[in-house]
Amino acid sequence: GVISEAGAIPSFGQCMNGAAGAALAMGLKSMAAESTEDNIFTNTVAVGAADGETRFMRDDESYIMHVPSKALLSEAEVAEKIVNVLMLTDKNWTGNVLTMDAGFSCAYMREW
């Protein structure tokens, strides 16, 4: 599954989005616990800030300075990374919630 990072890390102004994402993540964790013996493996990717229209912040220096690469992932790069990560899922690595963005976590700077 794919959710917003707000579903894994509480984010200001994202309570409904976070609640929906957290519910989906927990549902997929339950599915992972119940379905492994049937060779059904699940992980959830919690996507954070990305470049493009869906980004919740703009290219101001106070934001970009917290990103290690000093650049945000494009939406196409995020989609490619999600596919790569989810394809690695097997019985030893199922039921995880993985946060993914350009190295920024909304838990890092709480004033946003």
Side-chain angles (χ1 to χ4, degrees):
V2 179
I3 63 173
S4 165
E5 188 177 48
I9 302 169
S11 180
F12 181 76
Q14 296 286 320
C15 65
M16 296 304 289
N17 190 14
L24 176 60
M26 188 54 69
L28 289 170
K29 283 178 155 297
S30 296
M31 182 180 168
E34 296 173 6
S35 306
T36 304
E37 64 274 1
D38 296 326
N39 290 324
I40 299 171
F41 310 118
T42 65
N43 282 322
T44 302
V45 176
V47 180
D51 200 8
E53 293 302 314
T54 60
R55 192 172 73 212
F56 62 85
M57 299 296 287
R58 298 289 175 231
D59 284 322
D60 63 36
E61 290 183 25
S62 67
Y63 178 74
I64 296 294
M65 70 185 225
H66 298 291
V67 176
S69 66
K70 304 297 185 245
L72 297 176
L73 295 173
S74 70
E75 292 167 342
E77 288 171 318
V78 169
E80 180 182 352
K81 304 294 184 209
I82 289 170
V83 170
N84 290 342
V85 166
L86 293 179
M87 292 300 290
L88 294 172
T89 301
D90 63 21
K91 66 179 182 178
N92 297 316
W93 195 51
T94 189
N96 287 291
V97 177
L98 311 158
T99 57
M100 179 184 296
D101 56 20
F104 172 81
S105 167
C106 55
Y108 184 77
M109 293 294 290
R110 298 308 294 182
E111 72 265 19
W112 288 329

